[in-house]
């Protein structure tokens, strides 16, 4: 086997499990670690076909003890989402197999098809990509799930589970050197109950690191989205929450001004956000403050993907600027 990365080797039990889902005469002939994930190991598996060609699959394995404890939920949501997305205009992987409780593999694992394209995190071409991201998110929110199981042992439900937000006023981590008054005001925002909303089908981690693009080198303006991946957090909740999450990520990747610009692009694409500015602010602030607890986790895969300047400190500074700008806009 060609192994492009020592960390990419497939463990014996998992290899045997994957082999059960291959066609007669197929075998794993190569593996490659895919960087960028926070909660799981990702590998691209090159499969040798009986006719002498190859095809690719993607293997997700949850190995961190903390996330293993939540694997049955996340590994239950993603198959439901991928099944729903088949036959829609949303480009997503196709589910091949899932072992949510590690009954057959060393760790909870999910096997899916591989999509063409690559993540693009550079500043160059962002002006063209933001409207594409916005239109794609509008299309996701337009989905209307039919009853199907959304997790092991569950009865069919008309939609995925309700969204969860874990950040509280007491868990926010104020960056060093941040404006204390702005952050105190922001924390007060999330002390209030969540505003009412009309439920939508949410990706729950829609951001540039989970969107694949085809960008012609000679014509970057002709970029197109080829896939949306990582549906483990699929939820039911307010469109504002997905928009706020992508806004935060764009603000940290490219500068604080890109957060509001993405929200504007989402509305220009036909998306509907909360009518009241205070309600929009609630979701924007909530997602920004949630990021305060994991700046080091968020910034690491960005550096691995070719943005070495996005140190933990640099990202924390951008987060402070973004949260402060949100509170300034409130007046």
């Amino acid at each position: 086997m060609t192994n492009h990365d020592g960390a990419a080797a497939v463990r014996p039990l998992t290899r045997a499990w994957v082999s059960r889902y291959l066609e007669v005469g197929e075998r794993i002939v190569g593996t490659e670690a895919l960087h960028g994930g926070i909660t799981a190991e990702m590998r691209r598996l090159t499969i040798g076909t009986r006719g002498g060609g190859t095809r690719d699959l993607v293997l997700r394995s949850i190995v961190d003890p903390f996330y293993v404890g939540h694997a049955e939920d996340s590994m239950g949501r993603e198959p439901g989402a991928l099944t729903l997305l088949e036959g829609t205009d949303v480009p997503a992987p196709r589910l091949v197999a899932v072992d949510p409780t590690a009954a057959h593999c060393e760790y909870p694992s999910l096997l899916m098809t591989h999509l063409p394209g690559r993540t693009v995190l550079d500043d160059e071409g962002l002006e063209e990509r933001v409207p594409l991201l916005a239109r794609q998110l509008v299309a996701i929110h337009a989905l209307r799930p039919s009853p199907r199981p959304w997790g092991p042992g569950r009865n069919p439900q008309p939609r995925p589970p309700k969204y969860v937000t874990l950040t509280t006023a007491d868990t926010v981590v104020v960056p060093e050197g941040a404006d204390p008054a702005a952050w105190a005001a922001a924390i007060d925002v999330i002390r209030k109950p969540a505003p009412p909303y009309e439920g939508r089908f949410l990706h729950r981690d829609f951001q540039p690191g989970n969107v694949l693009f085809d960008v012609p080198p000679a014509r970057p303006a002709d970029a197109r989205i080829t896939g949306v991946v990582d549906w483990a957090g699929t939820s039911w909740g307010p469109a504002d929450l997905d928009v706020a999450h992508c806004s935060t990520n764009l603000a940290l990747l490219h500068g604080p001004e890109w957060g509001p610009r993405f929200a504007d692009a989402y509305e220009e694409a036909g998306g509907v956000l909360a009518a009241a500015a205070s309600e929009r602010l609630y979701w924007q602030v909530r997602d920004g403050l949630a990021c305060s607890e994991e700046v080091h986790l968020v910034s690491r895969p960005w550096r691995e993907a070719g943005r070495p300047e996005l140190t933990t400190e640099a990202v924390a500074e951008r987060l402070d600027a973004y949260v402060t700008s949100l509170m300034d806009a409130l007046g």
Side-chain angles (χ1 to χ4, degrees), residues 25-298:
E26 291 187 332
R27 62 190 180 93
I28 302 173
V29 298
T31 66
E32 180 182 1
L34 300 176
H35 300 291
I38 294 177
T39 63
E41 287 183 353
M42 302 291 294
R43 297 176 178 83
R44 180 167 64 186
L45 309 182
T46 300
I47 309 300
T49 64
R50 186 167 51 181
T54 62
R55 65 187 180 100
D56 291 333
L57 297 174
V58 173
L59 174 68
R60 179 203 298 275
S61 298
I62 299 180
V63 301
D64 184 281
F66 174 80
Y67 294 111
V68 166
H70 299 81
E72 190 169 359
D73 177 67
S74 63
M75 290 276 182
R77 293 182 190 227
E78 189 153 23
L82 298 184
T83 302
L84 166 71
L85 292 165
E86 283 192 55
T88 72
D89 292 333
V90 177
R94 181 175 57 81
L95 176 68
V96 176
V98 62
D99 181 13
T101 61
H104 307 286
C105 305
E106 285 85 353
Y107 295 98
S109 298
L110 185 144
L111 187 66
M112 63 193 124
T113 56
H114 177 266
L115 297 177
R118 61 184 178 88
T119 56
V120 183
L121 305 181
D122 301 330
D123 291 335
E124 184 180 0
L126 182 61
E127 195 82 38
E128 290 77 27
R129 294 195 305 275
V130 163
L132 298 179
L133 290 168
R135 289 198 291 270
Q136 186 62 78
L137 189 54
V138 170
I140 291 170
H141 291 166
L143 295 173
R144 293 295 178 266
S146 58
R148 66 183 63 253
W150 285 95
R154 295 180 181 173
N155 294 322
Q157 299 293 325
R159 58 180 66 109
K162 180 183 176 182
Y163 77 93
V164 173
T165 57
L166 301 179
T167 299
T168 70
D170 297 324
T171 60
V172 173
V173 179
V174 179
E176 185 176 351
D179 182 333
W183 278 75
I187 291 171
D188 281 342
V189 168
I190 67 168
R191 292 186 193 276
K192 303 171 186 176
Y197 62 87
E198 183 178 353
R200 289 284 184 268
F201 181 87
L202 306 183
H203 180 282
R204 202 59 183 93
D205 192 15
F206 186 86
Q207 41 93 2
N210 284 330
V211 179
L212 305 177
F213 282 89
D214 173 34
V215 184
R219 302 187 311 277
D222 293 339
R224 64 184 183 91
I225 291 176
T226 59
V228 181
V229 299
D230 193 357
W231 296 85
T234 303
S235 306
W236 187 260
D240 284 81
L241 191 53
D242 261 358
V243 173
H245 187 65
C246 192
S247 295
T248 299
N249 277 265
L250 288 169
L252 302 188
L253 270 167
H254 305 293
E257 69 277 8
W258 284 100
R261 290 182 68 174
F262 178 72
D264 291 342
Y266 178 83
E267 290 191 292
E268 290 169 4
V272 178
L273 296 174
S278 60
E279 294 177 353
R280 297 187 189 197
L281 179 71
Y282 176 89
W283 301 110
Q284 292 167 336
V285 168
R286 172 164 283 288
D287 193 85
L289 297 188
C291 191
S292 76
E293 301 175 40
E294 49 189 23
V295 170
H296 64 293
L297 292 176
V298 170

